[in-house]
Amino acid sequence: MKAGVIGSPITHSLSPAVHRAAYEFLGLDWTYEAHDVSARGVAQFVNGLDSSWRGLSVTMPCKEAIVELGEPDEVVASLGVGNTMVFESMPGNPTTTHIHNTDVTGFEMLLGGVLDKDPSLSVEVFGTGATARSALYALGHLGVDQVHLRARDDHKRDQVADQAQGWGVKVLGPHDNPQVVISTIPSQIARNWIESTDPQVVFDVAYDPWPTPLAAWASSHGARCISGLDLLAAQGVGQIRHMTGQSISFDILRRALDQ
């Protein structure tokens, strides 16, 4: 069987390392390659695949473009964003293609341990794109009823705030000193935004190069740092389960990324 990851640019992607490690552990003779595909080219790429394909991981800028190419699950239907395509038949058939969002379950896995210890922690998300919305949805599912949101575009921030109400999350303006920061924006910009604060936990979804400017700042200031590599492994757990029907542990995938 074949699987792969699509997005643009894609040369930096470590998704092949995650999935190939899983296939080796599970004893599956599957292949997994990276393909540079723009949002405009997603439909053409998917329609060109044959029945040997089982699924696709999807990264930016294609996470919204895939939603109309299959049957979205409840999370995807609510968010308008997916990161996983699973083909039950020919990839070009939308009635047998399932769209999932494992970024949400990845965020839940990684943030659950933080917020379970202290659910009263103030949380701020940087950004308004697909990954930021997945983080907000996950926070709502974890029982966080209000989240601060910082963005460069106030109009987009207001749009996301309206959408988040449906996920049980009240979006507030920027926080002067948040205890948990989740950044989905370029790391250097996030570092500039965070300099006057003293967070306990910094989650930077970027990972190339690592450490990012934000992660380096967080570590030097004593904050616990969760990385984009952690998210890649955590969301990979869900992707692999959807595609193969088998379970893999976070630790196996995370070790593959370290190696």
Side-chain angles (χ1 to χ4, degrees), residues 1-7 10 12-24 28-35 45 52-59 83-87 102 207 232 235-237 239-241 243-244 253 257:
M1 296 292 288
K2 296 177 183 178
V5 57
I6 60 171
I10 202 66
H12 71 285
S13 176
L14 293 179
S15 289
V18 169
H19 286 257
R20 290 170 187 169
Y23 302 160
E24 181 178 358
L28 297 174
D29 185 22
W30 287 27
T31 63
Y32 188 102
E33 304 292 342
H35 303 269
F45 179 83
S52 67
W53 283 78
R54 174 59 175 166
L56 290 171
S57 308
V58 181
T59 188
N83 77 331
T84 307
M85 303 183 75
V86 180
F87 309 124
T102 65
Y207 61 77
L232 185 60
Q235 64 82 30
V237 170
Q239 283 191 337
I240 289 155
R241 183 178 65 252
M243 291 185 192
T244 71
L253 303 185
L257 291 171

Side-chain angles (χ1 to χ4, degrees), residues 136-150:
L136 287 166
Y137 190 100
L139 288 165
H141 198 247
L142 289 169
V144 179
D145 57 6
Q146 59 181 35
V147 177
H148 298 269
L149 184 62
R150 187 184 294 263

Side-chain angles (χ1 to χ4, degrees), residues 79-117:
L79 274 171
V81 173
N83 77 331
T84 307
M85 303 183 75
V86 180
F87 309 124
E88 298 293 347
S89 182
M90 285 295 292
N93 185 345
T95 64
T96 56
T97 297
H98 303 286
I99 314 296
H100 304 283
N101 186 317
T102 65
D103 284 335
V104 169
T105 52
F107 274 119
E108 290 177 12
M109 180 187 299
L110 297 169
L111 293 171
V114 174
L115 297 170
D116 284 348
K117 294 177 182 177

